[in-house]
Amino acid sequence: MIQLLRIELYKIFKRPRTYISFVIAAAITFVIQLAMITDGKTFMNFAMQGINEQFEIQGNIINGYFVTHIILQSLLVHIPLLVALVAGDSLAGEANQGTLRLLLTKPISRSKLVFVKFLSSFIYTVILIIWLAIVSLLLSILIFGKGDMINLKSETFIIILKNDVLWRYMAAFAFAVLAMTTIASMAMLLSAFADNSIGPIISTMGIVVVLAILSNLEIPLFNYIKPYLFTTHMIGWKGFFDDPVPLGAIGRSAMVLVCYTTGFIACTIFYFNRKDITS
Amino acid sequence: MRKLWGVLLFCFGTLPVFAGDANELFYLLRARVLLVKDYTADVKMKINVTYMRVPQLSGTLYFKSPDKMRLERHGGLSIFPKKNTNLTLGNLIPDGKVIVLDMGYAEKAGKKLRILKIVPEDDQSNIVITKLWVDEANLLILHTESTTRNDGTVTMDLEFGNYIPYALPDKVTIFMDVKDYKLPNGLAMDYNDELDIAEKAKKEKATKGTIQITYLKYTINTGLDDDLFK
């Protein structure tokens, strides 16, 4: 099993396109950091105009913690794409290259193969999120410094003291791993259906974009289905920046994501075990 | 100069019960408040505004008469109401010529207080009218209610203890009108709005906010530089 995992990780990390994800994550982060350096005040004035009418806030508002929050919020759609690039390729890529049939001639069960491929995608996701934490949080702190963090919700203005922020980011990144693992498992399921990796990657992105729009639309009709969409729960990391932290809601979101992940993996194993491998 | 301060503080510190007319009382109070030209104070600030969740903020408050104020939080953020609704008593007592109306006496927190209504003669003043609840025995203002031109009504409760000779309070509670705050959900992308929904009913009715400042230690009239407030 460990040997198999090593081989799968080797396959992932020997491909140059794997590193494109890390470059893209860094590039998006740099662009947002640059925007905050050059035009952060205008953004803050716009976002806080309701507050600024009545209150005067002094101090380093655009600090590293605040900028990281903006970066993470902006990456809601982008990071799933980067995860799908690898997970969507895991089975379909092998089929496309004609190595899947050969792989299955080895004395390993199909279930085990799916599980190991999922595990390797999970490890890739963890590394990607750690990279994101380094370039967004660490670099933002270096550029903008530390300070009390402002969290702007639609009807609430929250200030978190600077010595109370770091653990929230650790928890938020851990939650992001969980959310992205759900995306990886869905991309793997779609990958099992296809014989080339473009289809699963685009389908994953399509599903994420459509469901994310549904999750954010304020239309009563969609309010009934929102709690069941995984995209509604993917932003559970934001709960750690609330006051008080809604642990119950975050726990429920985590459970929903775990259920989706388990369901996707189970479906992948079920389908892949019955699939007629012709390539 | 020190002798003059000593005499003034002695006079105010041991002031007998005041029984003069309202005009005289007001000008005496104003002169006493204006005795403090600047101060530095260790403070704790608690903001209670319905749409704000802000923890208790500790820091050093710098004040320079008449209206310069700054809270230094050693790298942290500080929040103040907009300048016009300053947190100082001096700012809520109109300057220049005023009309003083004696409104009689009222009981407040077990004390008999004299009420003065002050109307500035300057019609450009931000303060339209101020009501002061005065403890004549100690020559202290314990409660104010000011209607301002731009910032609604500001009410202030003052508690005195260690710095009575300077008429500096140990604790100030400011009650102010607050407007609604709303950010488009597309920008905020809220995750969990259970707390907000639970508080929404309260919020819709609540139009008042309070800011409570506890002064732990004052350093008075040290000649603070204007640059400190830039």
Side-chain angles (χ1 to χ4, degrees):
Chain A
M1 176 101 163
I2 297 290
Q3 185 61 23
L4 200 57
L5 184 62
R6 275 190 193 151
I7 293 167
E8 286 303 324
L9 286 172
Y10 175 76
K11 282 185 205 167
I12 288 176
F13 287 100
K14 80 162 189 184
R15 278 189 307 229
R17 78 163 142 174
T18 300
Y19 299 97
I20 291 174
S21 300
F22 291 87
V23 173
I24 291 171
I28 296 169
T29 304
F30 294 150
V31 167
I32 296 170
Q33 284 165 340
L34 188 66
M36 293 308 285
I37 290 170
T38 56
D39 219 15
K41 278 188 180 167
T42 313
F43 171 80
M44 283 309 291
N45 286 339
F46 170 72
M48 288 177 48
Q49 53 190 328
I51 303 285
N52 287 342
E53 273 177 25
Q54 300 177 80
F55 293 93
E56 198 171 310
I57 299 177
Q58 297 169 348
N60 183 18
I61 299 171
I62 306 169
N63 56 54
Y65 293 138
F66 176 78
V67 173
T68 306
H69 197 257
I70 298 290
I71 291 168
L72 295 187
Q73 196 152 294
S74 312
L75 291 176
L76 185 71
V77 176
H78 307 88
I79 296 297
L81 169 66
L82 305 182
V83 170
L85 274 176
V86 167
D89 186 57
S90 57
L91 291 168
E94 299 262 12
N96 190 34
Q97 288 173 357
T99 53
L100 191 56
R101 199 155 47 164
L102 182 68
L103 184 62
L104 291 174
T105 58
K106 302 288 175 196
I108 43 165
S109 70
R110 290 189 180 191
S111 302
K112 201 173 187 180
L113 181 70
V114 169
F115 185 71
V116 167
K117 281 193 176 286
F118 166 71
L119 213 56
S120 58
S121 296
F122 169 75
I123 291 168
Y124 160 79
T125 303
V126 171
I127 294 170
L128 186 65
I129 297 294
I130 290 172
W131 171 246
L132 186 66
I134 291 168
V135 290
S136 60
L137 184 59
L138 209 64
L139 207 61
S140 295
I141 287 173
L142 284 175
I143 297 170
F144 299 94
K146 285 183 185 176
D148 297 341
M149 190 188 131
I150 289 178
N151 179 16
L152 296 165
K153 293 180 74 182
S154 61
E155 293 193 28
T156 318
F157 171 90
I158 299 167
I159 286 188
I160 304 165
L161 297 180
K162 63 180 171 186
N163 53 9
D164 194 29
V165 179
L166 208 56
W167 74 266
R168 294 171 192 261
Y169 270 113
M170 296 302 119
F173 282 119
F175 193 94
V177 167
L178 184 63
M180 290 306 113
T181 304
T182 304
I183 300 292
S185 62
M186 184 177 72
M188 265 197 71
L189 172 62
L190 296 170
S191 182
F193 291 136
D195 284 335
N196 72 71
S197 48
I198 302 297
I201 293 167
I202 292 175
S203 305
T204 304
M205 277 320 295
I207 291 168
V208 170
V209 169
V210 170
L211 294 186
I213 290 169
L214 284 183
S215 292
N216 283 300
L217 274 183
E218 288 298 327
I219 297 175
L221 177 69
F222 298 135
N223 286 345
Y224 297 105
I225 58 166
K226 275 183 189 178
Y228 305 103
L229 302 177
F230 65 84
T231 43
T232 305
H233 301 281
M234 270 169 55
I235 55 169
W237 63 270
K238 297 187 80 175
F240 290 106
F241 299 95
D242 211 334
D243 182 34
V245 175
L247 289 173
I250 293 172
R252 277 195 300 278
S253 290
M255 281 306 295
V256 169
L257 293 173
V258 168
C259 287
Y260 264 106
T261 305
T262 313
F264 286 140
I265 295 302
C267 288
T268 309
I269 291 171
F270 180 80
Y271 176 78
F272 194 67
N273 273 317
R274 281 156 184 75
K275 190 179 179 184
D276 185 15
I277 308 293
T278 55
S279 56
Chain B
M1 187 64 190
R2 275 189 183 176
K3 277 183 185 171
L4 177 67
W5 270 108
V7 171
L8 282 169
L9 289 176
F10 176 78
C11 291
F12 288 127
T14 59
L15 209 77
V17 174
F18 183 89
D21 76 7
N23 251 310
E24 202 182 332
L25 176 60
F26 170 74
Y27 285 109
L28 207 53
L29 283 166
R30 192 165 76 177
R32 193 177 184 202
V33 168
L34 295 177
L35 268 180
V36 176
K37 299 293 175 203
D38 63 63
Y39 65 73
T40 305
D42 294 334
V43 296
K44 284 185 175 174
M45 186 191 276
K46 182 75 190 146
I47 297 172
N48 186 11
V49 174
T50 46
Y51 61 77
M52 280 187 169
R53 293 193 200 131
V54 180
Q56 181 170 271
L57 305 175
S58 301
T60 308
L61 189 71
Y62 299 95
F63 166 77
K64 185 166 185 179
S65 183
D67 61 358
K68 288 192 177 74
M69 192 172 245
R70 184 181 154 218
L71 178 65
E72 173 65 54
R73 291 205 47 252
H74 314 293
L77 298 176
S78 63
I79 303 180
F80 278 125
K82 275 285 185 189
K83 276 217 165 107
N84 290 337
T85 321
N86 218 317
L87 307 178
T88 62
L89 190 57
N91 239 42
L92 292 173
I93 296 179
D95 52 6
K97 285 189 175 177
V98 294
I99 299 162
V100 181
L101 304 168
D102 193 342
M103 306 299 292
Y105 289 87
E107 283 264 322
K108 206 166 176 67
K111 279 185 177 174
K112 190 184 174 189
L113 303 177
R114 190 164 179 185
I115 305 170
L116 303 180
K117 199 177 259 190
I118 318 294
V119 184
E121 284 188 7
D122 177 9
D123 55 8
Q124 298 300 310
S125 166
N126 184 41
I127 296 168
V128 178
I129 191 165
T130 294
K131 262 170 97 175
L132 306 175
W133 279 252
V134 181
D135 172 6
E136 290 177 294
N138 295 304
L139 205 62
L140 295 170
I141 299 167
L142 298 189
H143 183 78
T144 70
E145 202 176 283
S146 301
T147 304
T148 62
R149 207 169 289 281
N150 304 317
D151 309 296
T153 303
V154 183
T155 309
M156 197 186 259
D157 271 343
L158 300 103
E159 291 174 29
F160 293 87
N162 297 324
Y163 294 87
I164 288 177
Y166 295 95
L168 288 173
D170 285 1
K171 190 172 169 184
V172 175
T173 309
I174 298 140
F175 304 83
M176 54 185 286
D177 291 337
V178 285
K179 294 171 192 163
D180 207 9
Y181 161 77
K182 183 101 179 124
L183 194 66
N185 195 29
L187 190 67
M189 286 197 282
D190 287 347
Y191 159 61
N192 177 265
D193 53 3
E194 284 174 8
L195 284 167
D196 304 325
I197 291 166
E199 285 180 6
K200 209 166 186 175
K202 277 191 263 170
K203 279 183 188 179
E204 278 167 6
K205 297 284 176 195
T207 53
K208 288 274 181 196
T210 63
I211 296 174
Q212 198 174 72
I213 306 174
T214 307
Y215 294 83
L216 305 173
K217 189 186 161 199
Y218 285 101
T219 312
I220 303 153
N221 292 336
T222 54
L224 293 179
D225 201 78
D226 282 344
D227 292 340
L228 192 67
F229 301 90
K230 283 177 185 170

